[in-house]
Amino acid sequence: YRQTLVQFFQQGIERGELRPHDAQVAASTLTALAQGVLETAVLDPAHVDFVKTIRETAGLFLSGLAAVKSIEI
């Protein structure tokens, strides 16, 4: 799955949708964010909406890489 994310980031850069960055680092970072959200949801399920939190987290991360104003998830 990590290689798929790397390809996703590389394609975004090539299309001009994402600003230039290290696709390997971006894939590792997004994976770590997702794992952290999952761990938090498992440890505190009463207070963490996993789907909402992962969407918001991924959106914030991708917006930071975006070459455009925003990315809809």
Side-chain angles (χ1 to χ4, degrees), residues 34-55:
Q35 290 171 343
V37 171
L38 178 59
E39 181 180 325
T40 303
V42 168
L43 294 174
D44 193 11
H47 295 101
V48 178
D49 179 336
F50 176 75
V51 173
K52 178 181 178 183
T53 304
I54 199 68
R55 282 187 180 153

Side-chain angles (χ1 to χ4, degrees), residues 7-54:
Q7 291 172 352
F8 167 79
F9 289 120
Q10 288 173 334
Q11 288 173 357
I13 294 165
E14 290 167 6
R15 293 180 188 158
E17 298 165 343
L18 300 176
R19 61 185 174 82
H21 63 277
D22 185 323
Q24 291 280 350
V25 172
S28 294
T29 302
L30 186 57
T31 300
L33 286 169
Q35 290 171 343
V37 171
L38 178 59
E39 181 180 325
T40 303
V42 168
L43 294 174
D44 193 11
H47 295 101
V48 178
D49 179 336
F50 176 75
V51 173
K52 178 181 178 183
T53 304
I54 199 68

